[in-house]
Structures are given as structure tokens and as C-alpha cells.
Amino acid sequence: MSTNMKVNIAGVEWNNPVTVASGTFGSGAEYSDFVDLNQIGAVTTKGVANVPWPGNPTPRIAETYGGMINAIGLQNPGIDLFVERDIPYLKQYPDTRIIVNVCGKSTEDYCEVVERLADQPVDMLEINISCPNVKEGGIAFGQDPKAVEAITKEMKKRAKQPVIMKLSPNVTNIAEMALAAEAGGADALSLINTLTGMKIDVNRRTFALANKTGGLSGPAIKPVAVRMVYQVAQAVKIPIIGMGGIMCAEDALEFIMAGASAVSIGTANFHNPKVTLEVIEGIRQYCEKNGVKDINELVGCVK
């Protein structure tokens, strides 16, 4: 028996339910020696802004128990170079969907990128609302439900592709943010982004990161991520892409059973470049062993 591994996210069909987390895979070229990109359901690109961003000062990565903390600061070459270089590269892999992660410091920044991508051959847009909103004193867009709904509406007005809103876990009530994005017209949600963390270098008696705080990712955050995906799945009717500490097929299956239609693998790529293919194969083997004819049967099966 062969299992149907195809999933449909907001009208876009993926060959399997696995993508990569933004910022951990570049735009694919860095991993092409290790991974046949045609075998991944979708590639989610590094964040793209309207102009090049230099990112934060170094040091900006620190290893921590069960994961890592990063304060890269969304360094990226900007939309012009992305359109010229990265989209043509990814179009060489016709079986793989292209999801562009969009970042900005104001609603206008996001709008500019989304409008530039309107006529580009990309499949979906993932809007990173963990960015600090400079006009609102630096609070992240994703930490205020009114701001979440407002920016989602603006994206939907301008986007030609389905819009995925990427939710920040650094909130009191994740379901409230998910409902705000759904109310704004989001086609899908992805969660969770990194949790805010800190590491201190006791030998130097200073912060391990120049930025003081950073985003914690890796297996340490997985139980929090699974819980949040489950809560959001109970609250909204739109598809969810689950992420946060996935290292193997069993981890991915937890997210799917909690309510995610697809999963995204991030930190694991850094120490095992082939992890995406191993997870896809592991999900397939689990389904065949357990008589699951269609991967979609498992989505949200744990109530």
C-alpha cells in the first residue's frame, strides 16, 4: 500500500507536508549538495525586506541546552536581488512549491515587498509578524491582535498569492492572535516562531549575544510549539503549518496529529542537512506500517 502524501494548503498542492523554516535554509542553493529540492514539499525562503538589511552586530548565535539562540536580525539582500537571483534558482525545481517569507519594519515595508512579488512565479507568501513595528515603539506586529488583523487585511488587499501569517509565540493567548489573523483574511497560519531567550557567558561576565536577547529554537521549544498548534487548531478553520524543534518524523507527526496540515523544519537543518528527506521518508513509513492511506487522515486526529 502506498500512502497519499499530498496536502493542500489554501488551494496550493504540495507533494508532501514538509517545508523548511525561514532563515534556516537560505533560498535552497546552500543545501542543494545535500538535498534534492524536488523532494521537499516546499522551500520557505529566508526573510525578504524591501531594502537590504545588514542584521545585528556579532556575536549573534549561541548554542544552548536543547537548541540555539539567534539574533541574526533578519539580514537579507533585499527584494531586488531576491527577484533577480533566488526565484530563478528555485524555479529549476518544478515539483517544489516556493514560499517567500516577507519581513518589514512598518506596514508600508511589507506592502512594498508583497506588491513586488505579485507578478512573480512564487506560490505562497509567509508574513513574519514577529518583526518590531518601528512606528509603534518597537512592539512586534504579532503581539497585538488589532495589529495582526490590520496587517493581515493589508497583505490580503495586495497579495496575488495565498497569505500565510507566521505567529509569534511571545504572547499570552496564541489563539487570540490566530483568530485575529483569520479575521483579517489569512489563508493559512504558521507557528511557532522562536521564543525570546537569553544566554550569559559566565567566563566573560557578559551576554553571549551582542543583542542581549535572541530567538530560542530547537528541541527545547517543541512541547510549547505542539501545545500552541493544538490550541490554534481548535480555534480556527484555516490550515496550519506547524514548526518548533522538529528533529525527526515522530516530532513531525506530533504536530500533524495536533492539527497541523504541514510541518516546517528549522534548526535541525544546521546539524543534519538531510533531515527534511529523512522526515518525509519517516512519515511515509509510519503511514504504511499503520495502514494510513492518506496523510490527511492524521491531521488533528488527537482531540
Side-chain angles (χ1 to χ4, degrees), residues 19 55-56 96 127 142 200:
T19 184
N56 288 326
T96 303
I127 311 300
I200 290 173

Side-chain angles (χ1 to χ4, degrees), residues 120-151:
Q120 292 296 319
V122 301
D123 299 291
M124 309 183 87
L125 308 179
E126 180 183 64
I127 311 300
N128 177 8
I129 51 173
S130 294
C131 299
N133 183 350
V134 291
K135 291 188 176 171
E136 298 295 333
I139 184 174
F141 287 90
Q143 290 178 316
D144 173 0
K146 289 193 175 77
V148 171
E149 183 173 350
I151 195 166

Side-chain angles (χ1 to χ4, degrees), residues 30-112:
E30 296 93 324
Y31 283 81
S32 58
D33 288 346
F34 306 99
V35 181
D36 175 3
L37 298 187
N38 262 327
Q39 292 186 44
I40 306 175
V43 168
T44 305
T45 69
K46 185 163 176 44
V48 181
N50 59 331
V51 293
W53 285 8
N56 288 326
T58 58
R60 50 192 193 177
I61 291 181
E63 194 170 349
T64 186
Y65 186 79
M68 61 180 276
I69 300 180
N70 91 82
I72 303 295
L74 295 164
Q75 178 181 342
N76 75 92
I79 185 67
D80 291 341
L81 184 59
F82 178 80
V83 166
E84 179 189 325
R85 180 191 67 190
D86 295 342
I87 294 176
Y89 177 81
L90 286 168
K91 288 310 290 178
Q92 298 175 89
Y93 301 94
D95 294 343
T96 303
R97 299 289 160 251
I98 302 171
I99 304 172
V100 182
N101 181 281
V102 178
C103 51
K105 293 173 181 167
S106 66
T107 303
E108 291 74 22
D109 288 356
Y110 284 99
C111 290
E112 198 175 320

Side-chain angles (χ1 to χ4, degrees), residues 278-290:
E278 291 170 12
V279 168
I280 294 163
E281 185 53 31
I283 294 172
R284 184 181 286 110
Q285 287 176 6
Y286 173 91
C287 290
E288 290 175 2
K289 180 182 171 187
N290 290 279

Side-chain angles (χ1 to χ4, degrees), residues 145-177:
K146 289 193 175 77
V148 171
E149 183 173 350
I151 195 166
T152 305
K153 278 182 176 163
E154 289 302 316
M155 298 302 97
K156 282 297 294 174
K157 269 186 211 166
R158 292 166 171 78
K160 293 288 191 288
Q161 301 89 348
V163 169
I164 306 162
M165 300 304 287
K166 185 170 186 178
L167 301 184
S168 168
N170 301 305
V171 296
T172 308
N173 185 342
I174 191 73
E176 181 183 26
M177 302 303 161

